[in-house]
Amino acid sequence: MERTTGHDRALTVLGMESSCDDTAAAVLRHVPGRPAEILANVVLGQAALHAPFGGVVPELAARAHAEKMDLAVEEALGTAGLPLSAVDLVAVTAGPGLIGGVLAGVMCAKGIAMGAGLPLVGVNHLAGHALTPRLTDGLGFPYLMLLVSGGHCQFLVAEGPDRFTRLGGTIDDAPGEAFDKTAKLLGLEQPGGPSVEREAAKGDPARFRFPRPLLDRPGCDLSFSGLKTALIRARDQAMAGKGGLTVGDRADLCAGFQAAVADVLAEKSRRALAACAERGLQLTGFAVAGGVAANQALRERLTAVAGGIPFLAPPLKLCTDNGAMIAWAGLERFRAGQADGMDLAARPRWPLDQRSPALLGSGKKGPKA
Ligand code: KG4
Ligand code: ZN
């Protein structure tokens, strides 16, 4: 394949992601005017490594990324059937996230870029998620994006590859974190989202009444930490006198919890769309991204809220952390004439909307929004 370096030419991009607990590498091919083609999307998860600790251990994650990133890249190139010499650009997550993991990815990317003489682009992980509907559906700007994952939760108006306005976000936990804690409290497998969703499908959402935090407050900010306390109380009540939970109790607790999260996200989404209308924005769509966007019950609720405008949810593999979204976001930066040098820094905190005041919310990766 002919090597191309011009910003407006066909480009093959290597994307690398290591900001949390997935070591990911992807190869993406983009011909201007055509949909991008994902030639490989390798994710080496660390779930088994962290399972004994009930959460991600940053130091273990960083070491595993450092050990596995070159293998992920090798596998991605192998799957794509391309040598490194066919790659035009190296894109890597440069933050926000667990700093040891981000550093491991950035160092590996610098080595590859320098060794192969390729341009390097540092990508904001959140931009990777937020730009995914452009990769999957070619969505034009402006659109409303709800980012919901284990480390973040925010409503963003995406106005350009580098232009995001935050309308609101979590003031404490991220929803994925709440799913993970719920699973832990109920003795279910990690990551908690898929296990809780599976149980919820068999349960009665009305048996336990969970709070709907911050619905009484105007605006689009969210809170999820209170749900954990409510869950502990409901679980202990259900267990009282029995010494344990029945299969039915567990399913009902999951259903009640998931319904509360879905209600809150649906109502806040309705408000975010109303805020866009008030600002006179002609939205091209309402999109979700991040691991929690894999939740089917939530997708159904949000589809209803979108009303007249298209609702976009990426395929599950592109909702959770992956290298393809980083390759795409890097490509967008590169096509806009941006690139980084060997001084590219790894950043633990890197808000997408630099103009809005910092949110208090943290997540499994620490404060960053
Ligand atoms: O985006 P992601 O892969 O990593 C972060 O950047 O955080 O999201 C992972 C999070 C985890 O907390 C996981 O429990 C949650 O997404 N998740 C789900 C589902 N699948 C993954 N939450 C709810 N329902 C799901 N089906
Ligand atoms: Zn993520």
Side-chain angles (χ1 to χ4, degrees):
M1 195 176 296
E2 192 189 335
R3 162 79 62 86
T4 53
T5 49
H7 293 172
D8 54 351
R9 314 271 288 278
L11 290 170
T12 301
V13 189
L14 172 66
M16 296 158 66
E17 155 64 34
S18 58
S19 66
C20 191
D21 55 352
D22 291 306
T23 312
V27 179
L28 186 126
R29 173 96 181 140
H30 184 244
V31 179
R34 292 213 217 134
E37 208 186 331
I38 298 171
L39 304 178
N41 197 15
V42 174
V43 178
L44 307 178
Q46 302 178 350
L49 181 67
H50 301 291
F53 306 98
V56 178
V57 183
E59 184 57 28
L60 291 180
R63 283 186 200 196
H65 287 307
E67 280 166 16
K68 298 261 173 72
M69 185 52 96
D70 56 337
L71 301 178
V73 169
E74 216 171 9
E75 192 181 328
L77 288 170
T79 306
L82 294 175
L84 183 58
S85 57
V87 170
D88 300 299
L89 172 68
V90 179
V92 63
T93 299
L98 295 172
I99 192 64
V102 178
L103 262 171
V106 167
M107 295 307 287
C108 186
K110 282 182 183 175
I112 293 173
M114 185 175 247
L118 294 173
L120 174 72
V121 178
V123 169
N124 182 314
H125 176 86
L126 303 177
H129 280 303
L131 296 172
T132 300
R134 293 173 55 72
L135 161 64
T136 54
D137 296 84
L139 190 64
F141 297 114
Y143 55 90
L144 177 67
M145 161 61 59
L146 168 59
L147 252 177
V148 269
S149 78
H152 22 86
C153 180
Q154 46 190 296
F155 287 103
L156 296 160
V157 181
E159 291 161 287
D162 245 349
R163 277 197 64 200
F164 299 93
T165 305
R166 200 184 66 224
L167 300 179
T170 183
I171 58 166
D172 43 52
D173 291 353
E177 199 182 4
F179 270 96
D180 294 341
K181 285 180 182 167
T182 295
K184 196 173 173 185
L185 288 166
L186 298 179
L188 300 168
E189 220 174 67
Q190 294 293 330
S195 340
V196 171
E197 181 172 21
R198 228 174 359 254
E199 291 299 312
K202 297 178 265 177
D204 170 12
R207 178 168 156 211
F208 298 100
R209 182 72 196 158
F210 287 94
R212 271 55 178 165
L214 291 196
L215 281 197
D216 52 343
R217 244 203 251 171
C220 303
D221 282 344
L222 305 111
S223 161
F224 294 97
S225 64
L227 280 176
K228 184 183 56 190
T229 319
L231 184 97
I232 294 174
R233 204 174 308 124
R235 178 199 63 177
D236 292 350
Q237 259 169 26
M239 282 202 302
K242 288 195 299 198
L245 289 175
T246 64
V247 172
D249 292 337
R250 199 173 276 127
D252 293 344
L253 285 165
C254 287
F257 163 82
Q258 183 175 276
V261 173
D263 271 0
V264 168
L265 286 171
E267 170 56 20
K268 296 286 175 168
S269 299
R270 195 192 57 72
R271 290 186 199 174
L273 286 166
C276 291
E278 263 166 43
R279 292 173 190 206
L281 288 169
Q282 300 285 325
L283 296 179
T284 55
F286 172 35
V288 275
V292 182
N295 189 287
Q296 211 52 46
L298 179 64
R299 285 179 180 222
E300 279 162 25
R301 293 294 304 280
L302 297 181
T303 309
V305 172
I309 63 167
F311 173 73
L312 295 101
L316 301 190
K317 260 177 33 195
L318 297 176
C319 273
T320 45
D321 290 351
N322 67 88
M325 71 178 189
I326 301 304
W328 174 263
L331 177 82
E332 291 232 37
R333 280 201 65 203
F334 190 69
R335 291 233 187 265
Q338 299 170 23
D340 292 288
M342 284 299 134
D343 56 350
L344 171 66
R347 301 168 66 171
R349 227 189 137 268
W350 186 1
L352 264 187
D353 177 355
Q354 310 272 353
R355 293 156 302 170
S356 295
L359 275 171
L360 300 175
S362 62
K364 65 184 179 186
K365 295 182 200 164
K368 72 182 85 62

